[in-house]
């Protein structure tokens, strides 16, 4: 099967996006070099539609700061498929942190944020920068104000987030990583230690991270075509196609065949 995980998904392809209807557009801005170790990218989504549209995302193991209208919020790792219904005109701007790296800006254990959205603590962040970001109509200016706000926070020197970031990126880039045992071998840590670190700094178990990346890869392969369900299941280490189909449906909300049929009907969006 040709669908392998690159270290970074190319800008034209984001495995996290399951559906993006016409009328919704999105883009990214790469952070400056000094912030690249903690920020994966800045992102924006815009819509202009008279009808209700639904976008679906299978999120990465990341925390985001999200700015919409006059609100600034922190969205923890989303463990299930994320769906957003939009109508009319609107825009959202966000900061996507690399796995575990939001911990450099907030000491709260990651699991306390999982599947939650909370207001950004403006007693810690630079109110002036956040205010100018919210008021700006330019995404480039928003990114500049976001960088200024990030630089205004003293980062912790805890080495664990960086270690876990690199470990998660290894899982993302290595399709042959299929089990916690594989992760134990690569990291040199016991299963108990991995469970503790992932809960504290990511907010989900190691098995969740491995499965999420592999299912994102499966969704991409199905969307591209050219690979049978049996081949995709085997490549991901499933002993049978039925087990793969159950996991895919539980996470994505559609059976693999139904997901493929929907993608074909929508022209791949």
């Amino acid at each position: 099967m040709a669908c392998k995980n690159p270290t970074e998904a190319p800008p034209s392809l984001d495995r996290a996006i399951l559906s993006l209807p016409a009328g919704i557009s999105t883009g990214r801005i790469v952070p400056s070099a000094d912030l690249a170790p903690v920020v994966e990218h800045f992102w924006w989504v815009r819509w202009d539609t008279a009808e209700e549209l639904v976008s679906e995302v299978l999120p990465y193991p990341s925390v985001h700061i999200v700015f919409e209208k006059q609100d600034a919020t922190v969205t923890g790792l989303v463990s299930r498929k994320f769906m957003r219904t939009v109508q009319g005109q609107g825009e959202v701007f966000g900061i996507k942190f690399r796995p575990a790296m939001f911990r450099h800006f907030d000491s709260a254990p990651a699991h306390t944020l999982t599947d939650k959205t909370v207001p950004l603590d403006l007693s810690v962040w630079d109110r002036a920068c956040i205010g100018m970001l919210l008021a700006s109509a330019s995404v480039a200016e928003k990114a500049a104000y976001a960088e200024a706000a990030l630089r205004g926070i003293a980062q912790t020197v805890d080495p664990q987030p960086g270690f876990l970031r690199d470990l998660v990126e290894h899982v993302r880039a290595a399709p042959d990583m299929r089990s916690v045992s594989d992760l134990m071998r690569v990291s040199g840590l016991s299963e108990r230690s991995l469970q503790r670190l992932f809960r504290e700094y990511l907010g989900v178990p190691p098995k969740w991270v491995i499965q999420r990346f592999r299912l994102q890869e499966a969704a991409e392969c199905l969307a591209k075509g050219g690979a049978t369900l049996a081949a995709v299941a085997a490549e991901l280490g499933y002993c049978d196609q039925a087990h793969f189909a159950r996991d895919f449906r539980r996470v994505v909300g559609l059976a693999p065949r139904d997901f493929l049929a929907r993608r074909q009907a929508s022209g791949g969006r």
Side-chain angles (χ1 to χ4, degrees), residues 51-65:
E51 61 178 318
E52 283 192 353
L53 298 177
V54 179
S55 63
E56 298 179 338
V57 176
L58 197 58
Y60 286 102
S62 300
V63 172
H64 296 248
I65 296 180

Side-chain angles (χ1 to χ4, degrees), residues 133-156:
L133 187 158
L134 289 168
S136 176
S138 162
V139 291
E141 287 183 359
K142 287 179 184 293
Y145 288 129
E147 291 201 339
L150 289 166
R151 293 191 182 101
I153 302 241
Q155 296 186 34
T156 68

Side-chain angles (χ1 to χ4, degrees), residues 236-260:
L236 297 179
Y238 284 89
C239 59
D240 61 77
Q241 185 177 325
H243 186 189
F244 162 66
R246 285 195 299 271
D247 279 353
F248 191 94
R249 180 166 188 156
R250 178 177 56 81
V251 175
V252 177
L254 292 170
R257 292 187 188 280
D258 294 335
F259 172 79
L260 179 56

Side-chain angles (χ1 to χ4, degrees), residues 44-47 67-69 89-93 137 139 142:
W44 55 265
V45 178
R46 290 180 180 141
W47 58 91
F67 304 91
E68 184 173 4
K69 297 180 179 177
Q89 291 183 324
E91 177 180 293
V92 177
F93 178 84
V139 291
K142 287 179 184 293

Side-chain angles (χ1 to χ4, degrees), residues 27-32 39-44 93-94 138-144 147:
R28 299 175 177 179
I29 297 175
V30 176
S32 298
V39 174
E40 185 158 336
H41 56 253
F42 304 104
W43 55 268
W44 55 265
F93 178 84
S138 162
V139 291
E141 287 183 359
K142 287 179 184 293
E147 291 201 339

